[in-house]
Amino acid sequence: MASEITEVWLSGPVAGVPLLLVPIAHALLQARADVRRLVADVDSQSLWERPGNAASVGFHVLHLTGSLDRLFTYARDEALTPAQREALALERRAEGTGLDAATLVRMVDEAVDTALAQLRHTEESTLIEPRRIGKAQLPTTVLGLLFHAAEHCTRHAGQIATTLKLLQAK
């Protein structure tokens, strides 16, 4: 009997994604799966609760989607749009958004789908091209941005899991 694969990184290639970028795709897909599993049934009050003054589950979801979008924008060598800057401001006042679990999960789905589409169109020959990030124009590369975006998403998925455990312990 074949065992069920629970970790995305064990699932093999991702259709259309260049081989060097598959680990990034795997991390994004794992973060999406984790957020779906963790957040789908969380009630609206718990989404925005801040146990011990920690960031809320809702904040982590909004920040995961927003930072993924911003980092992939920098990887394309583009400046942030006014809508992206507005999304960043929304993250900072997350508790007042009133977004529910279904909306937040849908936002993660859309953000990961968009990122995967970009990975599919990223030429491996561009990975070491220099990029600048933020107002300070800090130096990095296309690969640096893509990798950081993926690990950042997984970090926030983990923080969602921890925050939910804190809420359940109350």
Side-chain angles (χ1 to χ4, degrees):
M1 178 189 269
S3 65
E4 184 178 322
I5 296 175
T6 58
E7 294 291 322
V8 175
W9 69 275
L10 296 170
S11 65
V14 177
V17 174
L19 287 179
L20 289 175
L21 300 178
V22 167
I24 293 167
H26 282 162
L28 295 174
L29 290 167
Q30 185 68 58
R32 172 166 63 190
D34 291 345
V35 170
R36 283 177 175 170
R37 177 178 50 80
L38 292 164
V39 175
D41 296 324
V42 176
D43 65 87
S44 292
Q45 180 180 344
S46 296
L47 281 174
W48 303 106
E49 196 170 335
R50 299 181 62 193
N53 209 28
S56 68
V57 168
F59 166 81
H60 287 297
V61 175
L62 287 176
H63 186 63
L64 184 156
T65 60
S67 62
L68 179 59
D69 179 48
R70 290 186 295 275
L71 291 165
F72 270 57
T73 296
Y74 290 130
R76 292 190 307 270
D77 205 19
E78 296 174 5
L80 298 183
T81 66
Q84 287 170 308
R85 292 182 192 286
E86 186 176 313
L88 179 58
L90 178 66
E91 288 171 33
R92 293 183 176 136
R93 60 179 197 281
E95 283 72 21
T97 65
L99 297 173
D100 63 5
T103 301
L104 291 171
V105 169
R106 188 172 51 254
M107 290 172 69
V108 172
D109 284 341
E110 291 170 2
V112 170
D113 285 343
T114 299
L116 291 172
Q118 182 172 329
L119 289 178
R120 287 183 177 100
H121 291 95
T122 300
E123 298 289 331
E124 289 179 353
S125 62
T126 67
L127 295 178
I128 60 170
E129 287 181 3
R131 293 292 186 263
R132 298 286 177 170
I133 184 169
K135 291 179 184 178
Q137 292 293 287
L138 299 171
T140 188
T141 62
V142 172
L143 182 59
L145 285 160
L146 298 176
F147 176 82
H148 177 65
E151 67 89 15
H152 190 260
C153 285
T154 61
R155 181 186 318 159
H156 281 281
Q159 289 175 310
I160 289 167
T162 300
T163 302
L164 287 170
K165 286 181 181 180
L166 291 171
L167 290 171
Q168 290 169 355
K170 277 183 48 177

